[in-house]
């Protein structure tokens, strides 16, 4: 059994899509990042970076008998792919091509999309340089992915893989990122095909009752998500140690 610590976000959808595609048994543990549940001590033991997703794989035990806890969505995808033998080829060449695009998403598509979201929709003041910088970078990355999909159905090796799962959720925020799907027809075709997969539909529907409305969150939630400082981290660490 796998415990999935979850709030509806592009990074968390990667994991829920994989779990739905494979049928692995899992248990959802909601972490409402809009009200600060990501800072609770029990969650920080699993995800010290106070981010979702995180998992606990109760099928894998460490030397002390404790189940395996993993944070960071890319690391989780890799673990699950290796655990099941699915959606990541064991052939060195084909495996490398999948991992290229997973790392590309983690280092580019996700972070740049997140910055575009932030400066376009959530920043307290409109900084045109930042808006243009990240909107244009997302457009560049989308163009690259569109080129990759020109002559193939799926992103890597023309077979459905964790690369597709990693990228899809970030495209759902195209309006917040200032992108028009019609400008990238091959990406649009892939995005719509992904969205029609039953497992993707199920994964995307999870947690609707706590989901945020894109572009519209409270000032308290903004502070939870964007206003954390090193000093607050140290205070939380001090409080955890005092509670032991």
């Amino acid at each position: 059994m796998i415990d999935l610590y979850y709030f509806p976000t592009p990074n968390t959808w990667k994991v829920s899509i994989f779990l739905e595609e494979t049928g692995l048994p899992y248990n959802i543990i909601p972490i409402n990042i809009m009200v600060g549940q990501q800072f609770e001590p029990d969650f920080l033991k699993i995800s010290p970076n106070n981010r979702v997703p995180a998992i606990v794989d109760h099928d894998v035990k460490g030397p002390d008998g404790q189940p395996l806890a993993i944070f960071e969505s890319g690391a989780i995808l890799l673990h699950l792919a290796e655990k099941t033998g699915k959606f990541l080829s064991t052939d060195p060449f084909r495996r490398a091509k999948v991992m290229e695009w997973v790392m590309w998403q983690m280092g580019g598509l996700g972070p740049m999309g997140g910055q575009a979201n932030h400066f376009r929709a959530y920043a307290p003041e409109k900084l045109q340089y930042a808006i243009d910088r990240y909107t244009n970078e997302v457009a560049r990355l989308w163009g690259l992915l569109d080129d990759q999909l020109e002559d193939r159905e799926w992103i890597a090796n023309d077979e459905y893989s964790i690369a597709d799962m990693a990228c899809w959720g970030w495209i759902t925020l195209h309006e917040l990122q200032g992108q028009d799907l019609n400008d990238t027809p091959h990406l649009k075709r892939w995005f719509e095909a992904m969205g029609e997969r039953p497992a993707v539909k199920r994964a995307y529907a999870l947690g609707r009752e706590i989901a945020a409305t894109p572009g519209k969150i409270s000032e308290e939630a903004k502070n939870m998500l964007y206003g954390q400082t090193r000093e607050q981290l140290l205070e939380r660490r001090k409080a955890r140690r005092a509670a032991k």
Side-chain angles (χ1 to χ4, degrees), residues 158-206:
D158 205 14
E159 61 186 12
Y160 186 55
S161 73
I162 60 173
D164 301 286
M165 299 176 196
C167 292
W168 181 80
W170 286 100
I171 308 303
T172 66
L173 301 177
H174 51 89
E175 292 183 0
L176 281 185
Q177 297 173 23
Q179 308 301 315
D180 185 344
L181 282 166
N182 293 316
D183 293 338
T184 49
H186 311 300
L187 186 156
K188 180 181 180 181
R189 183 264 311 153
W190 163 85
F191 173 69
E192 291 175 347
M194 278 284 297
E196 288 302 312
R197 294 180 70 90
V200 174
K201 289 182 178 180
R202 293 193 299 271
Y204 187 58
L206 292 172

Side-chain angles (χ1 to χ4, degrees), residues 19 66 73 114 149 162 175 185 189 228:
L19 292 169
Q66 292 296 310
S73 58
L149 289 162
I162 60 173
E175 292 183 0
R189 183 264 311 153
Q228 299 302 308

